[in-house]
Amino acid sequence: MHRTRKSGILLHPTSLPGKEGIGTLGTEARQFVDFLHLAGQSVWQVLPLGPTAYGNSPYSCYSAFAGNPLLIDLAALVCDGDLASRDVKGSFPADWVDFPQVETHKLPLLERAAGAFFAAADQQRMEEFWHFCDANNWWLQDFALFMALKSRFKGKNWSAWPRDISRRESAALQQYGEELGPQIGAHKYVQWQFYRQWHDLKSYAGAKGVELFGDIPIFVAHDSADVWANPGLFHLDGAGQPTVVAGVPPDYFSKTGQLWGNPLYRWEEMAAGGYDWWTARLRSSFALYDLVRIDHFRGFEAYWEVPAKEKTAVNGRWVKGPGEALFTALETALGKLPIVAEDLGVITPEVEVLRDRFGFAGMKILQFAFGSGPDNAYLPHNHVRNCVVYTGTHDNDTTLGWFDSLKDKDRQKVLRYLDCAASGMPWGLVRAAMASVAALAVIPLQDFLELPASARMNVPGTPRGNWSWRFTGDVLSEPLAKKVHELTEIFGRLNR
């Protein structure tokens, strides 16, 4: 973790304002960077950027390496000459994402832009495109073919495709590769545009002293290019179905645990290959971000394995993960790893040892701090320097929503600790985060905007209605930037 005290804002790009029905990597993203700079912030934390599958969750994607096409700024494609300005106009809700409407509008336009590019691009742009394809062919070809096949077979899971292509027989790969050539090319074009827009944004942020803080899930979706292209790295049966899946055991919050359903890694095969897949994944992530959070870090030490046919997570077992061997291999290949370990929930001493062995920062959530006495590890007076403190994350309610949901005696306990009045929330909790000894403090934008529970990003365990919150362009005011800047300066976290 950085030696210098810093702070930042958590905001997924989909939540940015704009005319395309969803936040993009265009003008509004740069305006948000400008706000961060004006407010003295050094970090912009985002959620995973991959192409989302069912439920629109950034934690369930078709690829661990590809970018989400919906984040591409269409206005930039107009400037490139690949679209006409009249093509990109649409009418969308301003304060939430209607994902089906956005997909219906945007995906055909991206395909049209690809067609225009291949028909009329100049030599310089075409050379840039082919350079991108050559540099990323190790994942891009499989992903582009996977997505083209998804369309050919009407969205079916890859394990339900015809046997020859679901098993990746050489003749089938060649046949479909030729038949679907234009569609494959279009998907490669879209990924090229995503990556060039992201790297342009990253350069812009870097010039303003703003680091990009990314997020990767430990597991991948079964219906993904990753599993289809690398079946030997996962516990699958002869039909391509998982034999065991990921989850967490029953606890105080759930009598049946949580059954996530992700296929589990065959870690012995990963080790035999020198952990090459994970090395490639982290190398790709560090090219996108300055700092990376790994979700469910405890799964590297031990993970909850559930037989795939089970309906709940009750009948699972703990299985040892790769532990130190994985991160030793990663450090050997990549050098010191700028990683934040998501170490929330019930964490064993073995997980803490693994985290600390490699110097990874942990996480402290202030909304979790008030359920017990003064020894609660999430209370600011118990924090350590090598951690990231949050008021809440994307999985929590907004601080105002959380505070309003508490019983009166619990609200009084919070206010006594923070030494503030109820009218001072959520700023009382924000101030406590900024004052913490933690090297990095990250505040969700919703808390700076004093928003209620209706602005919550995600409610874990609920399949619908998540990930759609957006803010409107007029809320990032100069007075707000000044207020955030002053608080940041008081506690020695200014962007320097």
Side-chain angles (χ1 to χ4, degrees):
M1 181 56 65
H2 307 288
R3 293 182 181 275
T4 305
R5 285 168 63 80
K6 298 184 178 182
S7 61
I9 295 179
L10 171 60
L11 179 81
H12 197 46
T14 56
S15 296
L16 290 164
K19 299 178 180 179
E20 296 184 17
I22 189 171
T24 74
L25 307 180
T27 300
E28 289 78 15
R30 284 168 174 74
Q31 290 173 346
F32 183 64
V33 170
D34 293 341
F35 175 81
L36 287 166
H37 179 70
L38 187 63
Q41 304 307 292
S42 308
V43 173
W44 178 2
Q45 183 173 353
V46 300
L47 307 182
L49 296 174
T52 57
Y54 175 78
N56 308 304
S57 171
Y59 294 89
S60 179
C61 294
Y62 289 128
S63 170
F65 300 94
N68 188 345
L70 300 183
L71 292 174
I72 291 174
D73 175 35
L74 295 180
L77 305 192
V78 173
C79 292
D80 286 343
D82 295 342
L83 286 175
S85 57
R86 64 178 180 274
D87 295 332
V88 303
K89 294 179 180 178
S91 178
F92 304 96
D95 57 355
W96 65 285
V97 183
D98 184 333
F99 284 100
Q101 183 185 9
V102 170
E103 290 174 359
T104 299
H105 174 76
K106 199 162 195 174
L107 296 183
L109 288 176
L110 291 172
E111 189 172 353
R112 184 186 304 178
F117 169 78
F118 288 120
D122 60 40
Q123 183 177 352
Q124 182 178 348
R125 294 184 72 220
M126 190 61 74
E127 286 178 357
E128 182 187 339
F129 167 75
W130 284 116
H131 177 75
F132 170 80
C133 292
D134 290 343
N136 294 277
N137 189 62
W138 54 275
W139 66 266
L140 183 61
Q141 176 61 30
D142 283 324
F143 170 74
L145 177 56
F146 175 86
M147 295 305 295
L149 289 164
K150 287 285 289 183
S151 297
R152 166 64 66 90
F153 299 119
K154 303 186 185 305
K156 289 182 180 178
N157 186 296
W158 65 265
S159 61
W161 297 348
R163 183 179 178 84
D164 58 351
I165 191 60
S166 70
R167 304 301 185 277
R168 295 176 57 84
E169 295 177 8
S170 297
L173 289 172
Q174 181 175 348
Q175 173 194 338
Y176 285 106
E178 293 172 356
E179 288 181 10
L180 300 173
Q183 294 94 319
I184 293 170
H187 284 292
K188 291 182 177 181
Y189 165 86
V190 167
Q191 289 304 307
W192 172 57
Q193 288 288 8
F194 172 88
Y195 270 84
R196 69 198 297 253
Q197 289 190 13
W198 178 261
H199 285 299
D200 285 348
L201 178 61
K202 187 172 187 288
S203 295
Y204 185 85
K208 297 279 187 176
V210 175
E211 296 179 311
L212 298 181
F213 182 4
D215 191 346
I216 63 173
I218 182 175
F219 299 118
V220 298
H222 174 248
D223 192 19
S224 66
D226 309 298
V227 180
W228 174 66
N230 304 281
L233 298 180
F234 300 87
H235 285 284
L236 307 176
D237 63 20
Q241 293 295 324
T243 57
V244 288
V245 296
V248 289
D251 57 20
Y252 175 80
F253 300 100
S254 173
K255 293 181 179 179
T256 58
Q258 297 178 41
L259 188 63
W260 296 336
N262 307 80
L264 291 170
Y265 299 111
R266 296 179 64 191
W267 283 113
E268 71 282 1
E269 292 296 321
M270 292 273 190
Y275 298 106
D276 286 350
W277 186 87
W278 266 97
T279 301
R281 189 179 187 191
L282 267 295
R283 181 181 286 115
S284 176
S285 296
F286 294 141
L288 291 173
Y289 313 113
D290 301 292
L291 182 66
V292 172
R293 186 193 88 127
I294 300 183
D295 196 44
H296 196 59
F297 178 82
R298 71 107 53 244
F300 292 114
E301 195 285 319
Y303 54 90
W304 189 246
E305 177 187 278
V306 184
K309 293 182 179 179
E310 292 289 330
K311 301 299 182 184
T312 72
V314 171
N315 295 319
R317 63 173 186 144
W318 287 110
V319 179
K320 279 292 182 182
E324 187 174 319
L326 170 64
F327 293 104
T328 298
L330 291 172
E331 278 202 347
T332 299
L334 303 174
K336 190 66 177 175
L337 304 172
I339 284 175
V340 172
E342 186 271 288
D343 56 353
L344 307 175
V346 180
I347 299 299
T348 64
E350 291 83 358
V351 178
E352 294 176 346
V353 167
L354 179 63
R355 178 198 65 202
D356 296 343
R357 160 71 176 80
F358 294 92
F360 300 152
M363 294 174 59
K364 303 296 182 185
I365 311 299
L366 296 188
Q367 289 186 23
F368 296 162
F370 303 96
S372 56
D375 292 334
N376 187 309
Y378 295 111
L379 284 168
H381 66 261
N382 292 322
H383 291 179
V384 297
R385 182 171 181 78
N386 192 30
C387 74
V388 184
V389 59
Y390 299 80
T391 49
T393 72
H394 63 279
D395 282 335
N396 293 102
D397 203 342
T398 66
T399 290
L400 199 57
W402 162 78
F403 183 74
D404 288 345
S405 71
L406 296 176
K407 296 178 180 178
D408 184 64
K409 65 175 183 178
D410 294 324
R411 281 198 295 271
Q412 293 306 313
K413 185 187 301 184
V414 172
L415 296 176
R416 281 196 302 273
Y417 184 90
L418 299 177
D419 193 23
C420 76
S423 60
M425 294 294 284
W427 287 95
L429 205 65
V430 170
R431 185 183 181 90
M434 289 290 196
S436 166
V437 71
L440 175 60
V442 177
I443 311 298
L445 182 64
Q446 292 96 316
D447 287 351
F448 280 136
L449 298 180
E450 305 176 31
L451 296 179
S454 58
R456 183 171 182 167
M457 193 64 168
N458 179 51
V459 180
T462 59
R464 301 179 187 276
N466 296 317
W467 316 111
S468 62
W469 175 77
R470 297 175 75 198
F471 73 92
T472 54
D474 58 350
V475 299
L476 298 184
S477 64
E478 189 171 332
L480 177 61
K482 182 179 180 181
K483 185 175 183 179
V484 175
H485 188 284
E486 289 177 349
L487 192 61
T488 307
E489 184 176 25
I490 288 170
F491 294 110
R493 296 185 182 276
L494 272 186
N495 183 336
R496 302 181 191 278

